[in-house]
Amino acid sequence: MKKLPHTLLSVAALLLLASSLSARTESLTVSVRGQKAPDYQRVKLPNGTYKAERYVISNGGRFPGTTTDASMEKVGYPEVAGIVARHLATQQYYLAQKAKDADLLIAIYWGTTIPFNNSRYNTATDQLSTVAKDLKMDTIASRISLETGEIAPGGGGNTGGVVNNSTEMMANLEMAMARVEMENRERDAANAGNAQLLGYLDDINDRRDITAWADVGDLQHDLVADVEEQRYYIVVRAYDFKALQRDGKQLVRWTTRISIGAQGQGFDERFAQMVAAAGNAFGQQQRLRRRFYGDPNVNLGEIKYLGETSRPAAKGQKEEKNN
């Protein structure tokens, strides 16, 4: 397995004295997907809570094929890490006092997806619609000519011209359909990366398989529309820290993917709400959920970041299904 680059984080403890974060007052739709390795199981204590696990934390940066914007430049890694740490604690994940005590390396990635450029796709579908309409009108015209005995358009006094004209239109229709099919394949390929990154891929594929048998067309459309828009994402991923230190292996234990539509939003105003909506998915296997949430007011106290760790490289969107 490919080793992580040895980019060292600060050895000294970082003290974050965050000011109160007040988000906007209206609600927001947040998408959350939780994934964990099949062999990752948390131990439950007699009181019903999870046994505590310790971690060190790392800035994962952005995933390849994504970007940033001005609102993201206003937010630093310590602010994002502070919010994530608060919600990790609600699930019994705590910062290690010493790196040797850590069970996990928590890496945080965030950025903005690049939306699908659908201009060529729209041109192809418009062309198909036009050709199909012209063929339909030509077919109607030929029927009128045969029934009334009038001279058919382009027929030169008989129906032969109509047949030739319709044959040409059928050829144009086949070409237009082939172009739309090609554009559909390119569209699917372009969407696949973002769908995987955002945690949408399984749900889109599942609903595509059953669309013909159930009334899920609108939901399928909504999922694809999400993937094809620009979205802010935060990905919180837990690696086995001991395996990383001992063998240099990137063993992913769990991943939580969080996203919102970027249109009309600012990451600096919304990242706290995004993390708050996903807190109970940390360390869990959960299907994609898209829900409305209110805005929390988050007050951060002093947070310590301890230990010297290696930072995981941002992987591409082709990841293991359970990662």
Side-chain angles (χ1 to χ4, degrees), residues 2-301:
K2 184 179 178 181
K3 290 186 178 181
L4 298 175
H6 293 289
T7 303
L8 297 181
L9 303 181
S10 175
V11 178
L14 300 178
L15 299 181
L16 172 62
L17 299 175
S19 58
S20 297
L21 298 175
S22 297
R24 287 154 55 175
T25 56
E26 67 267 25
S27 61
L28 182 71
T29 301
V30 184
S31 294
V32 178
R33 172 77 156 100
Q35 297 164 284
K36 68 181 183 68
D39 62 342
Y40 177 74
Q41 300 294 332
R42 299 201 67 186
V43 177
K44 275 198 172 183
L45 301 176
N47 63 3
T49 63
Y50 289 114
K51 180 182 177 181
E53 295 184 46
R54 305 287 172 177
Y55 66 87
V56 291
I57 197 163
S58 170
N59 180 359
R62 292 196 307 274
F63 282 97
T66 65
T67 186
T68 186
D69 66 13
S71 73
M72 301 190 77
E73 299 297 332
K74 299 177 183 178
V75 182
Y77 162 67
E79 294 174 87
V80 178
I83 293 292
V84 170
R86 288 291 176 178
H87 290 282
L88 284 169
T90 67
Q91 303 303 310
Q92 301 297 103
Y93 292 108
Y94 299 105
L95 281 162
Q97 295 300 309
K98 298 179 181 178
K100 67 181 181 65
D101 298 329
D103 305 297
L104 302 171
L105 167 64
I106 302 292
I108 308 172
Y109 309 82
W110 72 97
T112 307
T113 60
I114 299 174
F116 170 69
N117 184 347
N118 61 1
S119 58
R120 290 195 312 174
Y121 176 82
N122 290 340
T123 298
T125 55
D126 288 345
Q127 183 182 21
L128 176 59
S129 177
T130 299
V131 172
K133 181 179 179 181
D134 289 345
L135 179 61
K136 179 179 179 181
M137 295 304 296
D138 185 72
T139 302
I140 293 173
S142 67
R143 288 174 179 171
I144 293 174
S145 301
L146 291 171
E147 291 171 1
T148 64
E150 297 177 2
I151 297 176
N158 58 54
T159 60
V162 175
V163 174
N164 292 335
N165 193 42
S166 296
T167 301
E168 181 181 351
M169 287 188 173
M170 282 299 299
N172 290 338
L173 179 65
E174 290 176 1
M175 290 177 60
M177 291 174 66
R179 183 180 176 189
V180 169
E181 183 178 355
M182 180 184 70
E183 293 296 336
N184 264 322
R185 287 197 297 267
E186 293 188 7
R187 178 185 183 185
D188 287 345
N191 288 343
N194 283 344
Q196 177 68 40
L197 169 60
L198 299 171
Y200 276 62
L201 190 59
D202 289 344
D203 285 73
I204 288 176
N205 287 339
D206 290 348
R207 283 168 174 78
R208 177 179 293 149
D209 292 340
I210 66 173
T211 296
W213 307 99
D215 186 18
V216 295
D218 288 343
L219 179 56
Q220 176 76 355
H221 174 80
D222 290 345
L223 294 176
V224 173
D226 280 2
V227 168
E228 291 186 344
E229 71 174 350
Q230 184 180 16
R231 293 183 72 80
Y232 293 124
Y233 70 84
I234 299 172
V235 175
V236 181
R237 174 170 289 159
Y239 297 86
D240 185 320
F241 187 58
K242 289 181 170 55
L244 180 64
Q245 285 193 311
R246 183 180 62 249
D247 306 318
K249 292 184 178 179
Q250 300 182 52
L251 297 180
V252 178
R253 310 316 293 149
W254 55 263
T255 303
T256 302
R257 305 170 188 274
I258 319 160
S259 67
I260 63 170
Q263 183 66 35
Q265 307 294 343
F267 183 81
D268 56 324
E269 297 177 319
R270 292 303 197 180
F271 75 94
Q273 186 178 359
M274 292 171 66
V275 177
N280 63 2
F282 290 150
Q284 303 297 318
Q285 182 75 26
Q286 294 186 5
R287 294 302 299 261
L288 176 71
R289 66 174 190 252
R290 300 160 68 244
R291 296 179 183 171
F292 288 97
Y293 294 89
D295 292 297
N297 291 320
V298 183
N299 297 312
L300 297 182

